[in-house]
Amino acid sequence: LYQPSSESIVGKIAKLCLDQVTVDKAFIGIDGYTSESGFMLKDLFRAEISTHIIQRSKDVTIVTDSSKFGKTGLTSICSLQDIKRIATDLDMDPKYREEFSMAGVELLMA
């Protein structure tokens, strides 16, 4: 299924197709992050595909703007232990900078 609003392919067939490829690096967008729930999305279909990609990838980068930190989504897609780095803007709350640093997550900020 194609979701025009997010320009995403989702569904069972998309998941089966992903099983046929090797995923070295994944770049995943999010709708929210909290310390308690991890990285989240609002769309269940996109969340299922994102989780599948994260589980198959050796190197995961979360790509998001800083406004998503402290926000919730409908469902969690992964935790800090599942990712290597976060790419975001310079406005990230220092609370999250410290949390990610303590977890060994690399921050790419611009």
Side-chain angles (χ1 to χ4, degrees):
L1 302 171
Y2 177 67
Q3 292 183 327
S5 62
S6 62
E7 297 182 350
S8 299
I9 303 290
V10 297
K12 188 173 184 173
I13 293 174
K15 201 170 168 184
L16 290 170
C17 289
L18 285 169
D19 288 337
Q20 304 307 309
V21 297
T22 300
V23 182
D24 289 326
K25 294 183 183 235
F27 297 88
I28 305 290
I30 59 164
D31 295 322
Y33 172 84
T34 65
S35 303
E36 300 77 30
S37 298
F39 298 95
M40 293 172 276
L41 288 175
K42 295 177 183 175
D43 183 283
L44 289 174
F45 291 113
R46 284 191 304 125
E48 178 183 32
I49 292 298
S50 293
T51 298
H52 194 64
I53 291 169
I54 290 165
Q55 290 170 346
R56 294 184 49 77
S57 180
K58 298 173 184 134
D59 185 337
V60 178
T61 300
I62 296 293
V63 181
T64 189
D65 64 90
S66 62
S67 72
K68 303 297 192 295
F69 298 103
K71 302 261 170 85
T72 60
L74 181 62
T75 188
S76 178
I77 59 169
C78 69
S79 65
L80 277 178
Q81 294 81 3
D82 299 316
I83 69 164
K84 286 199 176 181
R85 73 192 57 76
I86 297 169
T88 191
D89 59 78
L90 295 170
D91 293 330
M92 178 188 277
D93 185 317
K95 163 188 163 182
Y96 293 109
R97 288 184 193 195
E98 183 176 338
E99 179 181 347
F100 300 142
S101 176
M102 299 272 296
V105 173
E106 178 185 1
L107 287 177
L108 304 173
M109 302 177 78

